[in-house]
Structure formats: C-alpha cells, structure tokens
Amino acid sequence: MSQVNDYVFSTEESSYPPNQRSLPFFFKNLNNSSHSQSDKIIGASYSHFDRPSGSRSRTSISPERTSIGSVGSLSPRLKTSKALKRLSVFDDDDDWDDGIEEEFLGKETKSLGKLYPDLEYVKPEFQQPSTAPARPVSLIRENYKDILEDPFVILNGLDLQDYKHHKLTELLNADSESLDLNELKKQSWKGLPTELRGLVWQLLLGYIPSNPSRRQSVLQRKRKEYNDTIEQIFNKSKDQIIWHQIIIDVPRTNPSIKLYSYPVIQRLLERLLYVWAIRHPASGYVQGINDLATPILQVFLQSYLVAQANVANLDPDKLDVEILNHVEADTFWCLTKILDTIQDNYIHEQPGIMRQVESLANLTLRIDEKLYTHIKEQNLEFLQFSFRWMNCMLMRELKMDLIVRMWDTYISEFPKGFNEFHVYVCCAFLMKFSEELKEMEFQEMIMYLQDTSKTENWDETDVEMLLSEAYIWQTLYRNATAHLK
Amino acid sequence: MSSRKKTILKVIILGDSGVGKTSLMQQFINGKFSNQYKATIGADFLPKDLAIDDKQVTMQIWDTAGQERFQSLGVAFYRGSDCCVLVYDVTNTKSFESISSWKDEFLVQANVKDPDNFPFVVIGNKIDVEENKRLISGKKAQALCAQLGNLPYFETSAKEAVNVEQAFDVVARNALQQEESLEFADDYTDAVNIHVDGDNGSCAC
C-alpha cells in the first residue's frame, strides 16, 4: 500500500490549489518526481545538529535561527484568519474556557525566506526524473472542502467496507438534538474505523459540540482563536529556551515516518508546540509532548484522505493549505484537551509520572508478586524502565498505528484514559514479559525492557488484549485504594 | 569477596539536550552514527564488556535526557556511579556554560562519598563542524576543566568517530580506579571490625 501512496502523492493533481504555505520556491521540481528511500530522513538528519560537513545549508539551520522572528511563517495562516474574522464568535461552549490573553500584540516583520531555512537543504533531494504516469487517482477526498466546514460531512456517501461499524455510523447519523455520547464511547472503546476516527475523537474530547446546531460556529471560533493566538505569540520575542528545545526536538520526532520529514509538517509542529508551551507556563514544553501531538495530527489529516491512503506516506505539500491550517488548529486544541488531563506529568518534578510509576509498582506487587520481588532483588527500579512509558504514553514502545488504536480506547475513557487507565495498560504491558523477565538479571532485564524490537510484530490483536487485561485489572483494583497508598 | 564476579563500572553521561550524548554512546558501543535518534527520555542503558590492561570489566552506561525538567530523576539514575561524563557541544555556548552546573547537580543527587576526588571526564563534541561554527575553543575548555579540579578533557566527533575510543578509555580507567578505591574502603571497614574483635580477644587473655 505504501508504494501506491508514494506514487500517487508524489504526482501533482492540477485540481489542487497550490500550497501557499509551502511558498513558491519550494520544490519546483517536485511535480513529477517520486521519492526514493533516501529522502526518508530529511528532517531527522539534523538531529543533534549534526550535519555533513560542507553542507551548504549548515548556516541556515544552526541553532542561531532561534533568533529569527517567525512572522513570515504566519502569512499563509493569516489569509485564513482574515477570512474567519467576520464570522460570529459567540462563546456557546460553557465547559470550554480557553480565553486568550490579549497582551501579545506587537508588530515585527522579518524576511520570509529565512523562515524556511531548511528548504534550500531539502530541495536537491527531489530532483529525480519522473516515473509516474500523468493522471493518478487522487487520494484526497473529493468533498474535503465541505468536511473542513463540517466534519460530519464525511458521513455522506461513506462506503465502509464491512458492517462492523454499522452501529457507529447509525449513531453519528442520528438526526437528534444531541448525540448519545455514552454509546459513542462504547463504540470507540472497541476501536474506530479509519474514516471516522478524527470525527469521533473530536466529539469525545469535547472539541466538537454534540449539538449539531453549534458545531460549525464552534469550530470556526476555535480555529480563528488559534490563528489569532499564533499571530499574537509569534509577534513577541521568543522564549529562547523553550524555542530551542522545540526546534531540536521536532526534527527528531518520528524520524522513521516519512510525513514528519517534510518541512511544512515540522514548522506546523513547532508552532503548535510553542503556542501550547507559552500558554502553559507551569510546565512549558517538555520532551515527549512532541510525540503526543503526532497521533492526533495524523488522525486529523487522515479525515481528508480516502480510506486506503496511508497518511504516514502523505506528501503534505500536495494538500490544500486550508486543510493544513485547520488540522493544525484542531490538533492544537485536542492536544490541549489531552494534556489538560495529564498536566502533572510535565510540571516541576513531574509528580504525575512519579505517582503513576509508584502505582505501577504497587499493582505489580498485587498482580504478580514473584515478578515484583525479582525486580526488587535485582535492584532494578521501576522508574528506570517505566518513566518513558508514562512520559510518552508508550509511544516509544509501540508502533504508531497501534498507538492510534490504543488512543481510541484512551479517548473513550476520557478524561481518565491518559492517566489512570494508562497505568493499568502499562501494568498489562509489563506482565506480557513477566516470564522472560523472571529469568533475567539486572543488566539483561533493563536492556530487554528498553528494546523496542520486542513489539515489532505486534498487531491490533495484541494491543486489544493489552487493553482488555488493563480493563479487568482496573475493575478489580480501581476502588481498592490500598495499592495507591 | 568479589573475586569471581566481573567488575561492573557504572558510568553516567550528562549534558544539555542535543549535544550528542546518545551519539557518543552509540559510537562507543556500536561503532556507528545515525541521524535518526529520537530525543532520549529519562535515560537509556547500554553495557559494554572491555579489558582494562588485564582486567575484564563491564561498563554499564546510562545515557540521560538533557532537558532540565528531567533532573528530578537524577537520584534513580546517578546513584552508585563510578564515573560521570559531562558533554557539551563546541558549537553551543550555553551547553558549555552548563558543564559546571551539571557537575554540581550530579554531586548533590548522586550523594558521592568523596566529592573532591570523584572522577569526571569532560567531552566537547561535534568538532567535525566547520571552524567558523565552533564557538568554544579548546583553550577555553581546558581552562574550565582546570578550574573544576583538573578534569580530563577530550574533543570528539561522535559522527566521525574521532577521539571517542580515547575518551572512553580514560572514563573506564578512572571508573575502575574509583570502583577499586570504594572496594578498598569497604575492606578497610571490615578490617577495623575484625581488629576490634581481636582487641576484645586480647583483653580477655
């Protein structure tokens, strides 16, 4: 499948508006090129700032670019923001109070070209002769413009291959005042179909109101609010420590997934992470939050693609800039919703994570005392192997598609999915390897636990098993507070 | 006492985010460099068996995350270390300025017995960059290391495998010396006890 997508996404569709965000100088030769494997890690190649010596672009991607204002990078967004300006923006969403400080309003203009310093580096990579025929099939949904306005439009003419999700579509199509959210949660717990995932996540996270009459206006308002915030925040001088951390982490985000190698996606992530950090000064940006933004981003992008398209191989420069703008805003707000439930994980001394690690140890003691004792005898500390599980929501241990499936369940358990339930999932994860671990000594254990290849062959069934076990333990121990001490 | 068991040397790598700690460790352990490392979260662990002169040892290296927010994890990872490697990036002034606070932070959290004699090794990484990108001169770094207590100093390129072996050889030797001095201290404590017992015996005579 990925080959198909490579092929389709790398061939220009004349029906797409040119991507304004990618700017005219960007990939002039891209139209008929196909991406080779070697293109895969464009962005990641400046992980740790290590560059091939003599690379022309070295100067432009050095840490000094932290001092560059990013007003220019906003210009594509501003178009959308202007268009939204005259829309009604009354606050009809009571439980969704994310007012924006009006203090960030200064003006500062900088050269546009400098804001995309990586592009000159990337450009030569794509100058290969075309092997693709002239008119490939589009993998972008025909009605994407309507979906942008109202995500429910995706239900029209939806051709779900099987009837497994019959109940779900019926639920979403129900012509009622408000959706049966409880039933929707049940459906989501069991895993969602690719086409409807973005919509259901947005509903369950409370981003889209369940009342149909308010949907469009709320979406418009939130997207405008995000655009305005970007404008305000990026017009001020940057917090250099936060910005530096973000720009060295974004290129190291999912380096094995092609989507994240594109500058347009990297800039998008930088913006939304920076805005989140500035608006949450108690935690600021903490490494790992970059990981957490990506399942949301992918799932929301997928809403605009036909079901068989693999978003991981998407060439985002082929997308209408409006899609990217809206997906960025939607991702920001939904990431905010999730992070709100785990804020303790990222504030000073990370008490949320410390508590979760302790809960994991106590649960292990109850469920598998032999394993617990063995771990203690080997002087292995739970913190030494499970800190990352908590800080990155197991994203470093499982493949992206499995994480996305796992989040169907986490989001259906919202707002407890990402904290309380996650500990039970981690416990189930640890138990999976109990037999092997009990045979090992300290060094072998820690290496085995850190080795991500042990889940390489996992599929959805494995994850669903994990979730079911977690659910059982949660039911058994949730109210037995002794283990939480 | 520990005659049959292989000596374990615990080494910890500290330094600001993005200076190349993971790359150094990978270069040393696996002899390779990649652009695809994700940011380290918490700490990663890698062991390496090696011989120092005739002695077989296992070096257990903890490669830590550089972001300040993770410093509360220190206790879990620093404790029991035999040597601490402080890394900065020769193209990043701030990372150089952080060296002495990483050292202090380590001493506070690791709770070492004799802080003045604990072995540190300082590494300036990324010397493969063009000369005009380099912001910290060797001279400046040497001066700091002298000031911090004559710490051994190496300039490396994890990317091009320059000086990495040499730096870790000194790390290993100093760690071994530290480990043996601790062992000696333990023996000495035991000896005192025996001596006390002996005293009691002679008094009884």
Side-chain angles (χ1 to χ4, degrees), chain A residues 118-140:
Chain A
D118 320 63
L119 301 185
E120 58 173 306
Y121 165 64
V122 176
K123 200 173 164 188
E125 308 260 340
F126 289 87
Q127 298 183 341
Q128 291 137 11
S130 163
T131 49
R135 302 294 307 171
V137 186
S138 170
L139 294 188
I140 317 286

Side-chain angles (χ1 to χ4, degrees), chain A residues 41 44-45 47-55 58-59 62-64 241 244-245 248-249 252 254-256 282-288 346-350 354 381 383-384 387-388 391-392 395-396 442-443 446-447 450, chain B residues 8 10 17-23 33-49 58 60 62 65-67 69-70 72-73 75-77 79 89 91-92 94 125-126 128-130 133 135 159-160:
Chain A
I41 50 158
S45 60
S47 172
H48 304 285
F49 291 133
D50 285 312
R51 313 288 314 202
S53 48
S55 159
R58 179 168 272 294
T59 46
S62 67
E64 290 89 283
I241 293 177
H244 172 77
Q245 191 66 59
I248 65 173
D249 283 354
R252 307 192 273 181
N254 297 329
S256 59
S283 61
Y285 168 76
V286 177
Q287 295 186 301
Y346 304 109
I347 59 174
H348 179 63
E349 297 201 322
Q350 305 191 266
M354 298 303 167
E381 290 189 37
L383 195 64
Q384 287 171 330
F387 178 82
R388 189 170 78 183
N391 194 78
C392 302
M395 282 192 64
R396 298 292 181 93
F442 173 86
Q443 183 169 307
I446 189 105
M447 289 184 68
Q450 285 188 353
Chain B
I8 289 181
K10 185 175 166 182
S17 190
V19 298
K21 297 182 292 296
T22 302
S23 299
F33 176 81
S34 157
N35 288 319
Q36 286 216 41
Y37 300 129
K38 295 177 185 178
T40 307
I41 302 293
D44 286 341
F45 174 93
L46 272 177
K48 182 165 173 134
D49 290 333
T58 300
Q60 293 184 339
W62 285 99
Q67 200 184 7
R69 182 55 42 84
F70 297 127
S72 50
L73 282 173
V75 185
F77 294 103
R79 200 171 28 207
D89 166 3
T91 69
N92 181 328
K94 200 197 148 281
N125 190 36
K126 305 193 191 180
D128 50 276
V129 296
E130 297 144 44
K133 288 277 131 216
L135 299 175
K159 184 178 180 176
E160 290 168 6

Side-chain angles (χ1 to χ4, degrees), chain A residues 279-346:
Chain A
R279 294 191 63 187
H280 296 81
S283 61
Y285 168 76
V286 177
Q287 295 186 301
I289 293 179
N290 56 330
D291 289 335
L292 300 187
T294 57
I296 310 174
L297 175 66
Q298 279 193 222
V299 165
F300 291 179
L301 276 174
Q302 184 79 53
S303 296
Y304 302 97
L305 309 179
V306 295
Q308 66 268 32
N310 181 358
V311 68
N313 295 324
L314 171 70
D315 175 355
D317 296 310
K318 295 291 175 224
L319 291 179
D320 185 338
V321 69
E322 217 182 338
I323 294 181
L324 288 169
N325 281 343
H326 286 354
V327 164
E328 178 178 336
D330 296 348
T331 302
F332 170 80
W333 289 117
C334 289
L335 175 68
T336 303
K337 289 276 191 185
I338 288 171
L339 291 176
D340 279 350
T341 70
I342 47 172
Q343 245 194 352
D344 279 6
N345 286 10
Y346 304 109

Side-chain angles (χ1 to χ4, degrees), chain A residues 72-271:
Chain A
S73 65
L74 304 175
S75 56
R77 298 206 58 91
L78 298 186
K79 288 187 178 18
T80 323
S81 120
K82 269 178 203 151
L84 287 168
K85 246 170 199 149
R86 267 167 233 101
L87 299 166
S88 94
V89 287
F90 53 93
D91 190 335
D92 45 7
D93 189 0
D94 336 296
D95 58 351
W96 184 219
D97 183 22
D98 263 289
I100 286 169
E101 306 86 326
E102 295 296 335
E103 54 184 322
F104 310 101
L105 272 171
K107 292 286 171 206
E108 185 186 344
T109 323
K110 292 273 161 72
S111 141
L112 198 62
K114 274 188 169 176
L115 301 165
Y116 291 85
D118 320 63
L119 301 185
E120 58 173 306
Y121 165 64
V122 176
K123 200 173 164 188
E125 308 260 340
F126 289 87
Q127 298 183 341
Q128 291 137 11
S130 163
T131 49
R135 302 294 307 171
V137 186
S138 170
L139 294 188
I140 317 286
R141 285 186 186 280
E142 275 177 19
N143 57 349
Y144 79 88
K145 279 199 180 280
D146 300 327
I147 302 172
L148 282 169
E149 299 287 313
D150 177 6
F152 274 74
V153 170
I154 201 167
L155 291 159
N156 299 345
L158 193 68
D159 181 27
L160 285 172
Q161 298 281 311
D162 54 71
Y163 286 91
K164 190 177 155 198
H165 302 290
H166 170 71
K167 181 123 192 181
L168 180 65
T169 39
E170 205 177 69
L171 200 64
L172 292 168
N173 271 318
D175 201 17
S176 64
E177 277 287 291
S178 63
L179 270 161
D180 182 351
L181 284 177
N182 278 333
E183 188 52 42
L184 197 61
K185 282 184 178 182
K186 280 185 198 164
Q187 296 297 322
S188 183
W189 213 103
K190 298 186 281 187
L192 294 164
T194 311
E195 300 91 321
L196 295 174
R197 185 170 269 132
L199 172 61
V200 176
W201 282 18
Q202 292 183 359
L203 281 163
L204 291 180
L205 289 171
Y207 178 57
I208 306 183
S210 53
N211 184 334
S213 66
R214 291 167 37 198
R215 267 175 215 144
Q216 294 196 34
S217 62
V218 167
L219 264 187
Q220 281 166 354
R221 180 169 61 81
K222 298 312 287 185
R223 287 165 178 172
K224 176 185 184 299
E225 209 176 312
Y226 177 71
N227 280 315
D228 292 350
T229 314
I230 282 215
E231 207 175 324
Q232 290 158 7
I233 287 181
F234 282 88
N235 270 325
K236 291 190 81 184
S237 61
K238 291 202 185 81
D239 180 313
Q240 293 303 319
I241 293 177
I242 293 178
W243 181 245
H244 172 77
Q245 191 66 59
I246 289 172
I247 63 164
I248 65 173
D249 283 354
V250 162
R252 307 192 273 181
T253 306
N254 297 329
S256 59
I257 301 177
K258 188 172 175 182
L259 178 68
Y260 299 96
S261 67
Y262 290 94
V264 68
I265 293 295
Q266 295 190 354
R267 300 296 85 76
L268 180 157
L269 281 170
E270 282 168 8
R271 275 193 299 272

Side-chain angles (χ1 to χ4, degrees), chain B residues 146-160:
Chain B
Q147 187 201 321
L148 290 177
N150 285 324
L151 307 183
Y153 173 66
F154 290 89
E155 296 191 342
T156 62
S157 162
K159 184 178 180 176
E160 290 168 6

Side-chain angles (χ1 to χ4, degrees), chain B residues 57-104:
Chain B
V57 300
T58 300
M59 203 156 147
Q60 293 184 339
I61 308 180
W62 285 99
D63 164 35
T64 64
Q67 200 184 7
E68 213 178 314
R69 182 55 42 84
F70 297 127
Q71 277 178 17
S72 50
L73 282 173
V75 185
F77 294 103
Y78 300 0
R79 200 171 28 207
S81 298
D82 298 305
C83 182
C84 175
V85 184
L86 304 167
V87 187
Y88 76 94
D89 166 3
V90 298
T91 69
N92 181 328
T93 309
K94 200 197 148 281
S95 74
F96 176 70
E97 288 164 354
S98 302
I99 287 289
S100 87
S101 50
W102 278 113
K103 179 174 177 271
D104 294 344

